[in-house]
Amino acid sequence: MSDGISAQPGKDPAARLYSSWTQKTCQENGFGFTLREVDREELENHILTTNQDDTVDGIIVYYPIFNSRQDQYLQQLIDVRKDVEGLCHTHVFNMYSNIRWLDEQKLQKSILPCTPLALVKILEHLKVYNTILPYGNRLFGRTILVVNRSEVVGRPLAALLANDGACVYSVDVTGVQQFTRGEGIKKKRHEVMEKEGWTLEDCVPLCDVVISGVPGEAFQFPTPLLKDGVICINFSTEKNFGPEVKEKASIYVPAIGKVTIIVLLRNLLRIVQNRQSSSTIDDGGLQKPKNARSKRALAKREPLAHENTKTLLLLRGTSCSALVQDLLSDINALKRPFSIRFTKKNEIHPFEDASSLEFFSQKNDASLLLFGSHSKKRPHCMTWVRCFGGQVLDMMETYVIKDTARTLAQFKGEKCKVGLKPLLSFSGAQFESPVSNQYTLAKSILVDFFRGGEAAMVDVEGLQLMITFAAGEDSEDGSSAKIHMRCWRIVTKRSGQKVPRVEVEEMGPRIDFTIGRTKEAETSVWKEAMKKPRGTEAKVKKNIETDLVGDKMGRIHLGRQDLTELQTRKMKGLKRNREADLAEVVDDMTSVSDGDSEVEQVKRQRTT
C-alpha cells in the first residue's frame, strides 16, 4: 500500500522503541512507512510541508520533543486529515464532548488517540463492556481506576471510559478526580469532580479494573490493596505492578504496545476512508461520482419523479425466536420480488444505535427494514423501520402475541402469486384519529410496507390478495389495543350472472401484535421526505373538478343576460283568440261615456 507515516522521534528511548515497533508492524502488514528524523528547531516547518505532501496519508510525531507546552503547539500543527494520533483540537474536542462524527452526514468518523483507544479495545475483548446494554452505556456499573492523567493518555482514557458509562477515578501526583456522566448516566458527556483529601489508597479497593501507566522505576503499585478478581493493565514502559499481582488479579495485561500500533494502523485506514468520503461530497452535500461505474450506481439512487417500488430488507438479531423467524419468512414471501432477507445474526439495537440499520439501508438501497429479535423484556419483537436518504426516518416496535400467531404454512390451500399488489383495509377508530398517535404512525408505516408499486391501470384478475388491519379497543387493565393483521386470498366464482361471486379465504400469516416503543420523524426531515418534485403535479384545468368517485364535473360561466330582449319563436299555439283580445281592450279603456252602449265603446276604441 502507498500509505505513509511521517515520524520525528526525539531522544526519548521509549519514543525510539515505539517508532521501531511501528515500522516493523507496518512492513509486516503492507503499509508504507517512512521515518524522518529532523532537528527539533526545523520540526515545525517540516510538519507544515508534510501536510501538503499528497504522498503521505498520515503523520505521527513521537513525543516528547521539547517536553513543554511547545509539544502541544506541535500537535495542533498537524492537518486534521492526517492526524493519525487524534491529538489535534478537532479530534480532542469531539472526544471530550462525546461526538463521534466529523460531519453532519455522518460519513467521516472522528479519530481517537491511539493508546486510550487501544486500552478500550482491550477492555472490550476482556468482556468488561456489557454488550446487552446500548452503545454509550456499556460500562454502566463499572468502577475503573486510571493511575496517570497526562494529556496524551491518562485524561483522554478517563473521558472515554466515563462517556461509556463508567465511574472513573483518575489519580496523579496532584490528587484524585472522578469522571462520571452523572447519577444514572443521564448526561450526554462526562463531568469531572475533584475528590478532596482522597489518595490512591482510597480508590484502589473500590475498583473493578485498574489501569496504570506511571513512567519511572520508582513507582510500584500497592498490590495488597487490590480487590480479589480485579483486572489489571499496565501501559507504561516500566513495570508498575510487581509479580504478586497475579495472585490478586483475575486477568493481568503487562503491556499494550502491539495493540497500540494496530490501533494506529486502524486510525490510518479511517483517515483514508474519511478522505475518500469527503472527496465524493460536493458543496451541496451530495455525493460525486469518481468514475463511470460509480456514476451509474449513483444515478440509480438519485431521486426520481416517479420512484421505484421500495425494497424491504429483513434482518434478525443475535437472539431471535423461531416464531419471529417464520413470520419474517412469510412477510418476505408476501413482498417478493421487492424484498431481501438476511439470515445471519446481527448485533443491532435499533433504538439505541441505528447506524447499523443505516449501513444496511445504504448498502442494499432499501428504504424499508424489518428487524426481528427476542428477549425476556421484549419477547417476539419486530421493529418496522423507514429510511430516507440513507438515514432512519421513523420506526415502530411491535410485540407478536405467540398464542394467536399462525404462519403461512399452517394454512392449507392455494396461495397468491408472487408480485401482486394487495388491497389494504384499516378498521378501527384509532387509525383515524385527528391527533397523531402510535396507531396513526402504525397505519402510515404499514401502508408503506405493503402497498407495493404504483399501478397506472388495475386488472381485476390481479386482485387476488387483501391484507386487513383491525385495531381493537383498549383493555380494562390499561394496556393498549392490539392490532390484528390478516391476509386473505380473493376468489371469484361463477354466479350465473355477469357479475361473479366474490369470496375470501384466509391464507396467512395471521399476526396479532401490540405496539411498543416508537420513534417519530423530525418535522424538518418529514417535510423534506414528503416534498414532491416539480412537474409531477397534475395540471389544474379551469372549471373542471374530480369528485371522490373519480367522475369529472365541469362548471360553465355565462355573462349577465337581459331576458326582456330574449328572442323567442313565434308559435301558433301561443296566439291569443279574438274574444280575449276584445276583453282586454275593454278593461284598458280609461275614458268612456256613461250613456254609450258596449258596442259603441268598442267601435270608438277601434276608430281611435
Side-chain angles (χ1 to χ4, degrees):
M1 296 178 63
S2 61
D3 304 312
I5 299 177
S6 176
Q8 295 91 4
K11 297 180 180 180
D12 185 71
R16 287 196 171 275
L17 181 62
Y18 185 27
S19 65
S20 63
W21 285 351
T22 306
Q23 184 175 11
K24 180 180 178 182
T25 307
C26 287
Q27 293 172 351
E28 290 176 351
N29 292 276
F31 289 81
F33 181 88
T34 304
L35 181 63
R36 303 177 185 176
E37 298 189 44
V38 297
D39 190 65
R40 66 180 189 174
E41 281 73 20
E42 298 294 329
L43 184 56
E44 179 179 347
N45 292 332
H46 190 77
I47 292 175
L48 296 175
T49 303
T50 310
N51 285 339
Q52 306 300 322
D53 189 353
D54 293 335
T55 62
V56 176
D57 293 319
I59 302 173
I60 179 173
V61 177
Y62 292 97
Y63 299 100
I65 302 297
F66 294 93
N67 208 13
S68 64
R69 290 181 59 88
Q70 194 166 352
D71 286 355
Q72 298 179 12
Y73 168 71
L74 294 175
Q75 293 172 5
Q76 308 310 316
L77 287 180
I78 299 177
D79 191 342
V80 65
R81 297 169 298 176
K82 296 187 178 184
D83 185 10
V84 180
E85 289 190 296
L87 297 178
C88 69
H89 172 73
T90 301
H91 295 315
V92 171
F93 174 81
N94 287 352
M95 177 190 64
Y96 284 123
S97 302
N98 203 13
I99 299 173
R100 306 296 175 94
W101 304 91
L102 292 172
D103 58 335
E104 294 181 358
Q105 293 84 9
K106 295 185 178 181
L107 297 175
Q108 305 177 51
K109 269 205 165 184
S110 187
I111 304 299
L112 296 175
C114 296
T115 305
L117 183 56
L119 289 163
V120 168
K121 294 300 180 183
I122 290 173
L123 293 179
E124 287 182 350
H125 179 72
L126 297 177
K127 307 299 182 183
V128 177
Y129 278 72
N130 186 354
T131 56
I132 298 177
L133 296 177
Y135 288 99
N137 299 339
R138 293 188 168 182
L139 285 179
F140 181 57
R142 303 290 190 184
T143 304
I144 301 176
L145 173 64
V146 178
V147 188
N148 181 299
R149 205 184 303 147
S150 66
E151 295 298 330
V152 179
V153 182
R155 186 183 296 274
L157 175 61
L160 287 174
L161 298 176
N163 285 340
D164 283 339
C167 173
V168 183
Y169 292 104
S170 176
V171 181
D172 71 348
V173 293
T174 62
V176 179
Q177 291 181 345
Q178 185 183 27
F179 288 65
T180 65
R181 273 174 49 199
E183 186 177 355
I185 56 172
K186 295 180 180 179
K187 297 187 178 181
K188 183 179 178 181
R189 51 160 294 176
H190 73 280
E191 60 181 9
V192 183
M193 182 173 60
E194 294 284 347
K195 305 295 288 185
E196 297 291 342
W198 281 48
T199 62
L200 175 64
E201 288 73 15
D202 297 320
C203 301
V204 174
L206 306 175
C207 298
D208 309 308
V209 179
V210 175
I211 303 172
S212 181
V214 180
E217 299 179 356
F219 177 78
Q220 282 294 308
F221 193 90
T223 307
L225 298 178
L226 291 171
K227 283 181 16 178
D228 290 337
V230 72
I231 296 175
C232 295
I233 303 175
N234 176 69
F235 67 86
S236 173
T237 53
E238 307 293 342
K239 293 182 179 180
N240 290 171
F241 296 94
E244 65 276 8
V245 69
K246 297 180 181 179
E247 300 176 1
K248 283 277 190 176
S250 59
I251 298 175
Y252 172 55
V253 181
I256 65 164
K258 293 183 178 180
V259 181
T260 304
I261 296 173
I262 293 299
V263 170
L264 174 71
L265 300 183
R266 175 185 180 273
N267 283 353
L268 177 60
L269 292 175
R270 181 81 71 189
I271 284 175
V272 175
Q273 292 172 355
N274 288 348
R275 189 180 306 170
Q276 292 174 349
S277 299
S278 63
S279 65
T280 59
I281 302 296
D282 61 14
D283 296 335
L286 300 176
Q287 208 166 358
K288 296 186 300 184
K290 296 182 293 184
N291 50 47
R293 182 180 179 184
S294 60
K295 184 177 181 179
R296 290 192 299 269
L298 289 175
K300 280 187 176 182
R301 301 188 182 188
E302 284 181 354
L304 304 174
H306 299 282
E307 288 288 345
N308 300 325
T309 304
K310 295 181 179 180
T311 301
L312 170 62
L313 181 63
L314 299 106
L315 304 166
R316 59 160 295 183
T318 52
S319 177
C320 185
S321 63
L323 173 62
V324 173
Q325 294 184 53
D326 291 340
L327 294 178
L328 290 177
S329 178
D330 293 348
I331 293 176
N332 181 44
L334 291 177
K335 287 288 296 179
R336 286 184 300 181
F338 305 110
S339 64
I340 306 170
R341 187 188 176 202
F342 291 163
T343 57
K344 186 179 178 181
K345 297 179 180 180
N346 299 280
E347 189 177 352
I348 300 175
H349 302 277
F351 285 86
E352 286 76 23
D353 184 11
S355 58
S356 297
L357 293 177
E358 293 170 350
F359 168 78
F360 278 112
S361 174
Q362 296 172 13
K363 194 74 174 177
N364 299 277
D365 195 17
S367 57
L368 303 174
L369 295 97
L370 184 55
F371 179 74
S373 60
H374 176 75
S375 65
K376 185 176 181 181
K377 186 177 181 181
R378 297 183 175 87
H380 311 295
C381 178
M382 297 173 68
T383 305
W384 311 70
V385 185
R386 287 191 295 187
C387 295
F388 172 71
Q391 308 295 321
V392 170
L393 178 66
D394 53 10
M395 65 177 81
M396 171 184 69
E397 197 174 61
T398 59
Y399 308 131
V400 178
I401 300 173
K402 183 179 180 181
D403 297 337
T404 59
R406 298 292 183 271
T407 62
L408 198 65
Q410 291 178 286
F411 288 88
K412 304 301 179 183
E414 188 178 350
K415 310 301 180 186
C416 288
K417 297 179 181 178
V418 175
L420 293 179
K421 183 178 175 67
L423 297 172
L424 299 179
S425 172
F426 289 84
S427 59
Q430 291 90 337
F431 290 130
E432 307 301 330
S433 173
V435 181
S436 178
N437 56 33
Q438 57 183 358
Y439 291 96
T440 57
L441 175 64
K443 180 180 179 181
S444 175
I445 291 178
L446 292 172
V447 167
D448 235 3
F449 266 73
F450 291 103
R451 68 179 180 179
E454 297 293 334
M457 300 178 66
V458 178
D459 186 359
V460 179
E461 292 289 337
L463 298 178
Q464 300 180 14
L465 175 61
M466 180 171 67
I467 304 177
T468 62
F469 299 92
E473 299 295 333
D474 293 341
S475 58
E476 296 180 357
D477 59 358
S479 59
S480 58
K482 301 175 184 177
I483 296 179
H484 309 277
M485 174 182 168
R486 302 290 185 269
C487 298
W488 310 85
R489 177 172 171 263
I490 301 175
V491 183
T492 55
K493 297 183 178 181
R494 292 184 179 181
S495 63
Q497 300 176 357
K498 290 186 177 180
V499 180
R501 181 163 55 92
V502 179
E503 296 181 356
V504 291
E505 299 175 354
E506 189 173 1
M507 55 168 273
R510 178 192 298 174
I511 309 175
D512 296 337
F513 53 81
T514 58
I515 301 177
R517 295 177 294 175
T518 59
K519 176 185 178 297
E520 295 187 359
E522 297 180 5
T523 305
S524 58
V525 180
W526 180 260
K527 185 177 180 181
E528 184 68 22
M530 297 300 292
K531 186 183 295 183
K532 294 183 179 180
R534 294 181 180 179
T536 58
E537 302 90 351
K539 292 184 178 179
V540 179
K541 295 183 179 180
K542 194 173 182 180
N543 301 324
I544 297 179
E545 297 177 349
T546 304
D547 60 10
L548 294 175
V549 184
D551 296 333
K552 288 186 178 181
M553 298 183 298
R555 286 195 296 266
I556 300 176
H557 295 271
L558 299 176
R560 186 174 181 181
Q561 297 182 1
D562 186 1
L563 298 180
T564 60
E565 298 180 357
L566 184 65
Q567 179 68 38
T568 59
R569 291 184 61 186
K570 295 180 179 180
M571 297 180 63
K572 191 174 182 180
L574 297 176
K575 289 185 178 180
R576 303 166 69 89
N577 56 25
R578 186 175 183 83
E579 289 76 15
D581 290 340
L582 289 174
E584 185 177 353
V585 171
V586 172
D587 293 337
D588 291 339
M589 292 176 61
T590 55
S591 61
V592 180
S593 172
D594 292 338
D596 293 339
S597 64
E598 183 177 336
V599 177
E600 289 177 344
Q601 291 177 12
V602 174
K603 289 181 179 180
R604 188 179 296 111
Q605 181 68 26
R606 285 181 177 178
T607 57
T608 58

